[in-house]
Amino acid sequence: MAIYHFTAKVISRSKGRSAVAAAAYRSASHLHDYRQDLTFDYAAKPDVIHSEIFAPREAPEWVHNRELLWNAVEASEKRRDSQVAREVEFALPVELAQSQAIALAREFVEREFVAPGMVADLNVHWDEGNSHAHVMLTMRELTPDGFGLKATGWNRRELLAEWREHWADLANQHLLRSGLDIRIDHRSYREQGIELEPTSHLGRAVDEMRARGEQPERFRQLEEVRERNARKIEQRPEIVFDNLTRRQSTFTRRDIAREVFRYVDDGERFRNLMTRLEGSPELVVLVPEGRASHMVEDSRYTTRTMLRVEERMAEIAFEMAVGDRYAVPDGVLASALAKHSGLSSEQREAMRQMTSPRGLEVVAGFAGAGKSAAVAAARDAWEASGYRVHGAALSGVAAENLERSSDVESRTLASWELAWKNGKAEISGRDVFVIDEAGMVGSRQMARVLSKLHEAGAKAVLIGDTEQLQPIEAGAAFRAIAERTGYQELTSVRRQQVLWQREASHDFAKGDVSHALGRYEEHGAIRFTTSREQAKDQLIRDWGEQRGGQAEKSSLVLAHTRADMAELNQRARTSLKQRGELKHEVKIETSREMAREDGSVAIERAERAFAPGDRVMFLKNDRELGVKNGSLGTVTAVSPDSMRVTLDGPQQRAVAFNFQDYGSLEYGYAATVHKAQGATVDRVFVLATPGMDRHLAYVGMTRHREEATLYAARDDLKDFQTLKERFSRARPKDTTLDYARRRGLEPIAEALDKPTERQPRRAKEVNLSPIERFTRAQREFTGRRKV
């Protein structure tokens, strides 16, 4: 994980500061302050590798002169305690070359600061191991005559949180574009589950003070934090393993070293900690040094804890799969199939498999293959047999889509787990749980959920697709379980109405992205522009034109990052206002939960205008209101105190609420691809950016029934070949179970995976189950391992 640091502060006269002096120091230049009649000369200051002033297109030429700019800013402020400028500082990923880091900083500054109207003074400092950017920002509106009123919208409380999140998104795109499989996480340490304390960036001023023998307070505070972190790791080195396995089941020695170096940079302490970690009884070798192959590029490790989690998950899944307590009478099954006569033979087979007597069934289906229709038929059979049927999914929108398409009452997995913990949802052997989009569920959560269902005697049906979005947390649980208990496949794509689009979806599902994109290019559904700004303009124009006169058609704009999503939302709404479609606006205060640095949750508020006809997205689950995080709808009435929204779906259910009870809203014209998994609309407009991979492309280009169009910029993806290469990258998650064939475990793994005569594949049933044999052999192996 790359280093993350992002702060913002105000340059204020009340603290004796000057915008001219600050600009001279940040840019290593010679500037004269007209107000104070003082000259500031920092031209000899080293390590400033790039300085540039950015301004809106209509700005007068003089703003690009640093001395004139900041003197004009000072002249516009009359109070002795005025806030004259804002400064944003962020660390640049050390993994990037200088030119790459500068390009990243420039793009971020233009998108986040200049586009809303600010003038931005960017200076990139390239200290050894401490590359970072300073951005000084104006706080007043720029007019032809100079600076006017303070822009209140640039001082919103939630802006810093938005900038931090957008910076992480954009930096991750550039890291992937450079072929670096590392990422930045903007969340607080506590939210990420990290026991250690975050550190702060010091800057050259502190370094210079230290060089003079001084010990600034900020430096002492940082050293105290670093020392506390180092001691925590020395007391329990396995904290490093805990951090690594939050998002991946296995890791390399390089991953260990990178994680240690984030907190301990003293050479001797670093070596001692690495030695202790490499000799830790918690470390398990999966692929030893010198045994890498074409499938595994490096030695791989895991932890005993992670191994136990995934072993237990596999054991529970197998025990549930060999049970036979959930019979559905033949007559009931036939009646349910007759009621759902429109099912294909493949869907009927999937429905029969789901309603088998076994305690666990897995359905692996391509996007748009009609999994939900099969679930609806299975629900009728289960309920007619006396079972209670429940739905679950990782995200709120996926749970909502499952409920809408199959009429199975559904909640998020987190909601179910909380209800079980608080004793508010009793389950028994007469309950069936359908877990949709199971491919997004990590190993730890899957182990917890299956353990609870197995303990209660309930049945589980896992539905997913290993090629769609991968779990955010560690482990490819769905794939691991499917491989070991057997699965029923649904491969006939039914969602798309046009044959070539169904064939393209089939290509995406098989991982053949090149052929899939080739079909869209052949039919003119991939559109290149020079810049990303032009791509967004073209996308919104096409969206607006195809929307006109087709109000009954549902559509969705998709982007990879939240920053692009927010901008597309605003552009879409502006387009509608220009066409006169949004009248009688009402400004209201919306809110959303944001994590603070210390891990606590803050409510960030923003003023937004809504009008009848606006598309909205709900950002918080509310069972009484009947909405989930990600629910979409159309505003039918709005006042300063309340709103009425018609939710998407065949029932067109209306909800009304007061803003004092519910205010977690966002515009709903655009969404991230992650948010859209499980959604189905008539038309989709997808913005292609370098951070997207095979899994995101598959999801984004299979949400539609009628039409999907992809928009790409040549400054992001220079040509169609580059687009195919980027979108063909696969980053599937692994599990510890994937390495069972190594180090003497081959017979166990082969017995585990060998299919029986019946289809779909099932693990053989023997006196000692394959899972039990695998677990015993794995434990013997970990006991004799050498690190």
Side-chain angles (χ1 to χ4, degrees), residues 12 15 82 88 96 104 114 143 199 206 239 287 292 307 366 375 436 527 531 538 545 563 588 649 728 733 778 781:
S12 174
K15 296 182 179 180
S82 290
V88 172
L96 295 177
L104 165 60
V114 181
T143 71
T199 56
V206 174
I239 289 176
V287 181
L307 192 60
F366 293 176
V375 171
D436 197 16
R527 298 177 185 174
S531 68
Q538 182 67 53
E545 289 173 2
I588 65 169
S728 295
K733 291 288 184 82
Q778 183 70 64
F781 162 59

Side-chain angles (χ1 to χ4, degrees), residues 581-639:
E581 292 190 28
L582 300 178
K583 299 177 181 178
H584 311 299
E585 285 185 340
V586 175
K587 288 187 177 181
I588 65 169
E589 188 179 68
T590 62
S591 63
R592 65 171 177 168
E593 294 183 353
M594 300 292 294
R596 291 195 181 102
E597 278 293 311
D598 63 0
S600 61
V601 175
I603 304 299
E604 298 289 350
R605 305 184 187 281
E607 188 178 71
R608 287 188 173 88
F610 289 94
D614 255 323
R615 294 284 293 164
V616 294
M617 177 183 289
F618 293 82
L619 301 178
K620 186 178 180 180
N621 297 335
D622 190 307
R623 295 193 67 194
E624 292 186 7
L625 194 58
V627 297
K628 296 180 174 65
N629 182 3
S631 296
L632 289 165
T634 302
V635 176
T636 55
V638 60
S639 72

Side-chain angles (χ1 to χ4, degrees), residues 729-777:
R729 293 174 304 176
R731 289 192 289 270
K733 291 288 184 82
D734 65 0
T735 70
T736 58
L737 306 177
D738 294 331
Y739 302 90
R741 291 184 175 86
R742 306 177 191 281
R743 297 298 296 273
L745 297 180
E746 293 87 348
I748 309 304
E750 289 173 5
L752 188 67
D753 291 336
K754 188 175 180 181
T756 63
E757 293 179 0
R758 65 181 286 240
Q759 292 294 330
R761 292 164 39 188
R762 307 288 179 197
K764 280 192 172 180
E765 298 175 26
V766 293
N767 292 333
L768 184 64
S769 77
I771 292 294
E772 291 168 340
R773 292 169 62 198
F774 166 72
T775 302
R776 177 180 298 179

